[in-house]
């Protein structure tokens, strides 16, 4: 299943109409309809709202986008590492990181998100994850993932994100701070 199918299923499970969901997100019913048809995606803030509203991990909501990414996006190695994200004020112990697929937004909006997977247990909604940070482009997130992978392989116990983008919320969405 992809985002479109996940959204439709979750909306129906919560007994919400497209119009009711649209009102909660401050968008038109047509926007929700397009998302459920796979024609587009909501803005990042709306994705985060949906994740919270439906009590589902963001990477599970976007599952097909993550699953279709290259092998560099889904790293699984033995061992764990403590990752610190200074911009998001997060410290998490994980054994794997996941990248979102490319997200679309304004010119200064982040394009990728990175998540830490805490343990190997899996439920109906997938493995438990923690949001780590936003990335401006594919090169930055791939470089970060490669360094985390090398740190885990080399037995380094602590890693601080180096390439994540500092962001701030604006009325029009998330913006990368230069």
């Amino acid at each position: 299943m992809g985002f479109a199918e996940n959204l439709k299923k979750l909306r129906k499970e919560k007994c919400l109409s497209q119009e009711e969901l649209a009102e909660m997100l401050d968008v038109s019913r047509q926007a929700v309809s397009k998302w459920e048809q796979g024609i587009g995606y909501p803005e990042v803030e709306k994705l985060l709202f949906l994740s919270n509203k439906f009590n589902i991990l963001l990477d599970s909501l976007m599952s097909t986008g993550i699953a279709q990414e290259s092998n560099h996006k889904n790293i699984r190695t033995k061992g764990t590492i403590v990752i610190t994200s200074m911009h998001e004020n997060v410290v998490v112990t994980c054994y794997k990181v996941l990248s979102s697929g490319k997200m679309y937004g304004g010119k200064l909006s982040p394009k990728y998100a990175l998540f830490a997977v805490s343990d190997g247990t899996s439920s109906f909604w997938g493995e438990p994850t923690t949001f780590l940070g936003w990335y401006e482009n594919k090169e930055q997130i791939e470089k970060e993932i490669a360094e985390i992978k090398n740190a885990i392989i080399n037995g380094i116990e602590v890693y601080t994100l180096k390439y994540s983008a500092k962001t701030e919320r604006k009325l029009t969405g998330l913006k990368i701070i230069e």
Side-chain angles (χ1 to χ4, degrees), residues 57-77:
L57 301 170
L58 187 57
D59 64 324
S60 295
L61 182 62
M62 306 294 291
S63 64
T64 298
I66 292 169
Q68 289 177 350
E69 289 294 314
S70 71
N71 290 337
H72 298 287
K73 303 292 192 207
N74 187 346
I75 299 168
R76 185 182 193 117
T77 62

Side-chain angles (χ1 to χ4, degrees), residues 3-65:
F3 170 74
E5 296 87 9
N6 291 339
L7 178 62
K8 187 173 186 177
K9 179 179 182 253
L10 291 165
R11 178 182 58 78
K12 288 184 176 185
E13 284 177 2
K14 296 289 185 181
C15 300
L16 293 170
S17 67
Q18 286 183 342
E19 190 165 313
E20 290 169 326
L21 183 58
E23 284 180 26
M24 291 173 16
L25 294 167
D26 196 28
V27 297
S28 68
R29 185 203 55 78
Q30 290 82 359
V32 173
S33 176
K34 286 180 181 180
W35 300 339
E36 289 184 356
Q37 292 175 48
I39 296 173
Y41 293 95
E43 296 171 342
V44 173
E45 294 80 19
K46 306 238 187 286
L47 288 171
L48 293 171
F49 176 84
L50 288 168
S51 173
N52 289 331
K53 175 68 179 166
F54 294 135
N55 195 25
I56 183 174
L57 301 170
L58 187 57
D59 64 324
S60 295
L61 182 62
M62 306 294 291
S63 64
T64 298

Side-chain angles (χ1 to χ4, degrees), residues 44-45 103-112 134-137 167 172-176:
V44 173
E45 294 80 19
M103 296 180 282
Y104 297 92
K107 187 175 181 180
L108 297 176
S109 296
K111 303 296 185 253
Y112 294 89
W134 298 110
Y135 291 82
E136 188 173 358
N137 58 51
T167 60
T172 57
L174 274 180
K175 300 277 184 184
I176 294 174

Side-chain angles (χ1 to χ4, degrees), residues 16 31 36 40-42 48 58 62 71 78 87-88 90 105 117 120-121 123 132-133 135 144 149 154 172 176 178:
L16 293 170
E36 289 184 356
Y41 293 95
L48 293 171
L58 187 57
M62 306 294 291
N71 290 337
K78 293 182 179 180
H87 298 311
E88 302 301 327
V90 172
V117 181
T121 61
S123 70
L132 291 173
Y135 291 82
E144 192 87 82
K149 178 180 179 181
N154 292 316
T172 57
I176 294 174
E178 301 290 328

